Structure formats: structure tokens, C-alpha cells
Amino acid sequence: VEVSMEKETQTGLREHSLDISLKWVEEADWIVLIVGFNYGSISNDSQNNPEGLSFTEWEYKRAEDENKKIFVFLAGDLDTDDEYRVSQKNEKDLKNWIGKQSNDQKEKLEKFKEQLRQRSFKFFNDLSNFSKELEDTLKEAVDKLPPSIGPKTELAKLIVSVSKNIEKCIDKVTLIATSKRIHDCLHELLQQFISPLWEELLSKWKEETTLSDSRKMAILRLLSKATKQEGKMENLIREQNIDTQKQHALSNLVEKVIEKINQWQINWNDDAFSQSSGQFEEDLDLFEEAVKHAFRQADENMRTEESNLRVNYTDLRTHLEKARNEKGLTDSDHEKLDQELEKVQEKSKKLEHTLITHHDWQEAYEKLRDLDKNRGTSIFSRELKKYCDNYLPKLCDLVDKEIDLELNGTPERKEKASGTEKISSSKSSGIQDNACSIYVDKMKKLKKTIDDLKEDCINEDSTDDFFQEKIKENMIIMRKLFDDSFYCIDKKTLEEVNNGMSWVHALKEWLDKLNEAQLKDDGI
């Protein structure tokens, strides 16, 4: 339904334009906010608009107050990677508005954009890019909507009759999401705190025997990142519904990690760096071991709950089929139910595939870590031979699959894409993290180092010291590339799990309303 000030007819009432636009916001279910380089018309109603805000910013504020779903799109800023450009000659150039803005409008626009950057948003760099981003965003949002089954119908009564089975599935998805979020916090500690300390700072400290002031500050900045993850994990542990031994185990391990972060804050402050690098190295080693232990347990919890989810979902389908045969559903009801079940099945399969991929990469991480422990020992050659024979081919397959997926998309997306169209990695995966912006390039480099290592394993001469050093150097390079790639896999997994969590949250709200309506109808 198209509405705009230009097409609005007069009502004869004493209405201000701002009142009309805010009324439209209140009537809307969703809001799409598109911000370019024009701050927009400013309401001259000084009584209700003392700050002199534009209609657009007022509409946004009202949408926020009304708790509306808001999708924000920003034209890419000039001189950035996302810079907005005109892709065709017949398109209007949004940048032309820049010269038409007063200083006051420019300041207000920048302040408004800064506010919008604090929330979820998407940049667009031309009209074509915006159209695709908008379509993908709205399709995904529609996909997350709960089933379109109204209360008090026969179909609703059927759903209510199996609501306990549905809630069990929702609980399992919630537990998977909590474990994944904890896993992500731990991965952030490994990637953004522990790795930089080992690779950049500790090696320099040992080499130079003292730390410069700039490196001391770098360590303290890294510690502030660790503290941020500590706060997230504390909240997640509090929210977790702990009722199994594995959940208890993960909570205990995370508590140990949090305790060690607190010890770091006490033991390694600005005055503590006069202590030896050896003591720092020992503390870092113990902290890393605690994080990796919890990291592995978080993945095990995800595996367990994923298995439980499959069992619960099978039970749900069994009870649902039995109940639908006992209810007097119309052909239309059966068709609608089948359509909804097909959507659920699609989401379930997508989540299952994502988690299986994640578990495969986690296993590869553990195997590579085990091999790494033996580097520099007398048994390294033997363990390397085992690794090359048994695990390196699996890792090679994982990397090949990711490269193919990111370049060509899923089979479903391949069918929809044109013959020459390629899907960019950052757009297809939804990865927004800067570390993953060159995701495919990292994967290709990892593929190259794996191939080099395979060649080394074939030609290995265990008596040749030079050859042994070459393998160790290749292993270090491969390990770094693997860690960066696994970090991006984790971000993709987290995104998919969060999508699943958003959907089951909406499903739970919808189910509660159905149950409430049914209870009222039954006079309870």
C-alpha cells in the first residue's frame, strides 16, 4: 500500500504533517529506513519538535518507542570501502544532496547516522546493491515469521495438543544457541586475546628482555577485550537452564575461565610488567589451557543437544501425525499444516548441516592442536605421518567444500543464480566481522598450505634436519591460516544459530498466544 505526503488527500481536519507521518508509523508492522545524504524536511512545529529534527528522524524515534521491527540501510560513506556510487547514467546521484545541505543539516544527519550505526544496519553502494540487500533482508525476516494459523481454529487446537512436544524442541534450540554463544566468546578469547599475546607480544618481550610502554598498553587493551567476553559469558551462564551433567560441566569450566580473567586483571596491571616474561608465559599457558578445555566442552554440549533435538523432533512429528488423523481437519487445513511442516523441516536441515560442518571443523582443530603439541619432540615425525594419512585429507575436503560454497552458493542458490553470476563471500555468508572480510582468500591460502604439507609428507626424509625445519615452518603457517578460517566458520555458525533462535523465540510467543486463547475458549 503506497502512502506518501504527495499522494495524501486533504481530510479537512487540523492535522500537522508530522502527525500524519507518525500515524503511518504506528499503523505499520515493519519499518524500512533508508538514509542517504539528505537530512530531509524539518517539521516547523516548534512546540512538538524543539530539537528541529527531520520528519524521517521523528518517524524513526516513534518506531523505536513503539518497539517496531526496523530495517536500516545506509548509503556508504565517501572514501570508504562501502562508498556509494551511481551505477547507471540514468540514476539520480544521492551524493548531489551533499551540496544542498546546510551546516546544521549536515551536523544533524551525521549525528543521526552515528546513532544508527550503534544498531544492526546494512550499507549499500548503489541502487542494484540496495535492491538485493532489501530483498534478501525482507525474505529472511518473512522466513522468521511464526506460522499463519489463527487461534481457536481446528488447526490451532491440533497445535495446542502437541505444544509440550514443540516446547521441548524449542528448549533444545535454546540450549544449542547458549552453548554456541559461549563457544563464540571463548573463540574470541583464543583469537583476539591469547593468539596476539603469543605471536606478537610475548615473543618480543623474550627477545628484548623488557617491554616498551606501547607494548604494555597493547597488553592492557587486549585484557579489556577479554573482560568484555567475561561479562558476556557471565550473563549466558546465568541465563542457561542447567539440568544436565554436561551443562554443569560447561558452567564449571567457564567459571574457571572467568576466574582466571579476574586473576589476570589483578596480577598483570601497569606496574606488574617488571616481572619476568617466563612468569607471564606460564600464566598465559595455563589460561589458554582453561579456555580450550571450555571451548571443547561447549562444542560437545552442542553435539549432545543437537542429537536430543533430533529425538524430540521425531517425537513431535509422531504425535502430530497421530493427532491430525484424529481431528476433523479440512483439506485446506492439511495443506496449510504440510506447508508449515515443510518450512520447519527446511530450517531444521539447514541448522543441522551448519552444526555438522562446525563439528567437523572443531574436530580438525583438535587434531591439529594435538599434532602441534608434539612439534619439536622426538615423536613429531611419527605423529605427522599419522596426521597426513588419517586427518589431512578430511581437512582438505572441508576447505574445498567451503571454497565451493562461498564462490558458487548452495545447490538451491545455484539454481536461482544466472549462469555467470558469482555470489560474494561476505554477502552470501552474512559475515560482517572485519577479520572475515577476505574469507575466500584465506581459505584458498589454507588450501595451498595443505597441498604443500601433503607434498612434504609424501617426500618426507626424517633424517634431513633442513627438511624437518621446512615442515615445521609450513605447519606454523598452516596453523595460523586454519585458526583464521575456523574463526570465520564459527561466525557463520553463530549467525545461523542466532537465526534459529530468533525464529523459535517468535514461535514460542505465537504458541503461548494459541494456548492462552484456547484456555479462554475452554473457560479456564
Side-chain angles (χ1 to χ4, degrees):
V1 178
E2 183 183 357
V3 291
S4 66
M5 288 298 178
E6 293 81 1
K7 296 182 182 295
E8 185 74 358
T9 57
Q10 296 184 61
T11 63
L13 301 174
R14 186 177 180 180
E15 281 186 308
H16 195 278
S17 299
L18 182 60
D19 296 324
I20 297 172
S21 65
L22 295 182
K23 179 188 70 175
W24 289 341
V25 169
E26 289 170 4
E27 291 174 354
D29 297 301
W30 293 352
I31 307 293
V32 176
L33 173 63
I34 311 160
V35 180
F37 305 98
N38 173 21
Y39 184 59
S41 301
I42 295 175
S43 167
N44 57 12
D45 184 358
S46 58
Q47 182 177 352
N48 294 315
N49 187 22
E51 300 172 71
L53 301 181
S54 68
F55 282 85
T56 304
E57 186 165 1
W58 256 111
E59 289 166 350
Y60 170 75
K61 286 167 68 73
R62 177 59 58 88
E64 283 266 276
D65 292 343
E66 295 281 329
N67 202 27
K68 301 283 185 179
K69 189 184 283 284
I70 309 173
F71 305 97
V72 178
F73 295 88
L74 303 179
D77 292 327
L78 305 185
D79 300 321
T80 68
D81 291 341
D82 301 297
E83 179 177 350
Y84 173 83
R85 300 175 179 87
V86 180
S87 57
Q88 296 176 5
K89 289 182 180 179
N90 61 344
E91 287 180 18
K92 292 182 179 179
D93 191 342
L94 299 184
K95 298 192 296 297
N96 289 341
W97 281 102
I98 296 174
K100 301 176 182 179
Q101 302 290 287
S102 67
N103 289 334
D104 182 50
Q105 286 174 314
K106 288 178 182 177
E107 287 176 11
K108 286 178 177 176
L109 178 60
E110 190 49 48
K111 187 177 178 181
F112 185 32
K113 284 184 176 180
E114 188 59 39
Q115 181 185 353
L116 295 173
R117 291 188 193 104
Q118 305 307 311
R119 57 169 298 135
S120 175
F121 72 93
K122 288 260 188 184
F123 279 124
F124 64 92
N125 51 35
D126 59 32
L127 178 60
S128 174
N129 176 230
F130 167 75
S131 298
K132 184 177 185 311
E133 291 287 0
L134 178 63
E135 182 179 3
D136 289 347
T137 297
L138 293 180
K139 278 184 176 178
E140 185 176 309
V142 169
D143 193 46
K144 290 178 182 176
L145 289 172
S148 56
I149 299 172
K152 300 182 183 180
T153 62
E154 287 301 317
L155 199 47
K157 292 175 184 177
L158 171 65
I159 300 297
V160 168
S161 72
V162 295
S163 59
K164 294 297 181 187
N165 299 93
I166 298 174
E167 286 171 358
K168 284 181 181 179
C169 292
I170 291 173
D171 288 343
K172 295 308 172 189
V173 174
T174 303
L175 286 171
I176 290 170
T178 302
S179 296
K180 181 69 205 85
R181 289 167 179 172
I182 291 172
H183 185 276
D184 190 67
C185 291
L186 294 164
H187 209 162
E188 286 292 333
L189 288 174
L190 289 168
Q191 192 78 1
Q192 307 296 346
F193 178 65
I194 293 172
S195 288
L197 287 179
W198 279 121
E199 295 165 10
E200 301 164 22
L201 294 163
L202 185 59
S203 58
K204 292 292 183 183
W205 189 353
K206 292 170 75 173
E207 181 184 322
E208 298 170 2
T209 69
T210 58
L211 274 180
S212 64
D213 288 341
S214 63
R215 290 200 181 104
K216 289 177 185 177
M217 290 304 298
I219 291 174
L220 293 173
R221 282 196 297 272
L222 289 173
L223 185 56
S224 70
K225 290 185 178 181
T227 305
K228 183 179 178 180
Q229 299 306 321
E230 172 196 3
K232 287 184 181 179
M233 287 189 293
E234 283 180 334
N235 289 334
L236 288 167
I237 289 297
R238 276 198 298 268
E239 293 170 5
Q240 194 178 27
N241 179 22
I242 301 173
D243 60 0
T244 70
Q245 188 174 348
K246 281 189 177 292
Q247 288 157 16
H248 274 292
L250 178 58
S251 295
N252 290 337
L253 290 171
V254 171
E255 291 289 354
K256 289 179 182 178
V257 171
I258 291 171
E259 184 181 323
K260 287 190 176 295
I261 293 175
N262 290 330
Q263 287 175 356
W264 270 80
Q265 289 174 313
I266 296 169
N267 296 340
W268 293 101
N269 51 55
D270 194 28
D271 301 323
F273 294 109
S274 57
Q275 298 182 50
S276 69
S277 60
Q279 182 60 54
F280 188 90
E281 184 175 12
E282 183 180 334
D283 286 352
L284 181 57
D285 188 51
L286 290 171
F287 179 60
E288 182 179 24
E289 195 61 31
V291 172
K292 286 182 174 178
H293 199 174
F295 189 57
R296 184 167 57 250
Q297 185 65 54
D299 182 68
E300 287 181 15
N301 280 30
M302 289 164 61
R303 286 176 187 265
T304 300
E305 299 307 339
E306 179 196 349
S307 176
N308 291 338
L309 176 59
R310 283 198 295 270
V311 172
N312 289 146
Y313 182 64
T314 301
D315 287 345
L316 168 61
R317 290 299 297 261
T318 301
H319 283 85
L320 194 57
E321 291 304 318
K322 182 181 176 183
R324 76 188 294 180
N325 291 330
E326 295 172 353
K327 297 282 184 183
L329 300 183
T330 64
D331 290 344
S332 175
D333 286 339
H334 280 293
E335 185 179 351
K336 182 175 282 191
L337 181 57
D338 286 335
Q339 288 172 350
E340 295 299 341
L341 287 174
E342 188 178 339
K343 289 180 188 176
V344 173
Q345 186 72 13
E346 247 181 59
K347 295 176 192 298
S348 177
K349 286 293 181 185
K350 191 176 181 184
L351 180 60
E352 182 181 359
H353 173 76
T354 301
L355 292 174
I356 288 172
T357 300
H358 176 271
H359 298 324
D360 287 343
W361 276 84
Q362 180 82 30
E363 183 181 14
Y365 168 85
E366 299 295 344
K367 296 302 180 185
L368 199 52
R369 182 189 173 210
D370 290 342
L371 178 62
D372 231 15
K373 287 179 180 177
N374 294 310
R375 193 154 33 97
T377 69
S378 59
I379 64 170
F380 178 71
S381 294
R382 186 182 71 203
E383 294 302 313
L384 177 64
K385 181 72 168 58
K386 289 181 186 176
Y387 181 81
C388 289
D389 290 345
N390 300 318
Y391 303 113
L392 196 59
K394 294 180 182 178
L395 177 56
C396 193
D397 286 344
L398 288 176
V399 174
D400 284 340
K401 285 178 183 175
E402 282 303 309
I403 292 174
D404 182 60
L405 175 67
E406 290 301 314
L407 290 179
N408 301 313
T410 62
E412 293 80 8
R413 278 163 45 202
K414 285 180 185 178
E415 289 177 9
K416 294 176 185 176
S418 65
T420 57
E421 183 184 4
K422 294 293 184 183
I423 300 170
S424 71
S425 60
S426 61
K427 299 301 178 191
S428 63
S429 66
I431 299 173
Q432 296 300 317
D433 194 281
N434 290 334
C436 298
S437 59
I438 51 174
Y439 178 56
V440 173
D441 289 342
K442 286 181 185 291
M443 283 288 178
K444 287 180 177 178
K445 288 177 182 177
L446 177 58
K447 169 70 172 170
K448 175 68 168 59
T449 60
I450 291 171
D451 290 341
D452 290 344
L453 184 59
K454 283 164 68 178
E455 191 69 26
D456 289 343
C457 288
I458 293 170
N459 302 321
E460 181 188 6
D461 181 357
S462 59
T463 62
D464 188 332
D465 291 340
F466 175 79
F467 195 75
Q468 286 292 306
E469 283 303 313
K470 178 174 176 288
I471 288 180
K472 289 174 185 176
E473 288 176 9
N474 284 344
M475 280 291 301
I476 292 171
I477 295 169
M478 185 181 116
R479 184 59 197 263
K480 171 61 178 167
L481 287 167
F482 175 87
D483 286 347
D484 289 347
S485 299
F486 182 31
Y487 178 75
C488 296
I489 290 286
D490 234 3
K491 290 298 178 190
K492 288 175 66 179
T493 307
L494 179 66
E495 182 178 33
E496 189 57 46
V497 169
N498 281 340
N499 285 339
M501 186 62 204
S502 297
W503 185 74
V504 298
H505 180 72
L507 185 66
K508 180 69 167 66
E509 288 185 351
W510 170 78
L511 190 60
D512 287 343
K513 288 177 182 176
L514 283 190
N515 276 306
E516 185 180 344
Q518 190 60 47
L519 288 172
K520 285 182 180 177
D521 199 43
D522 293 341
I524 300 175

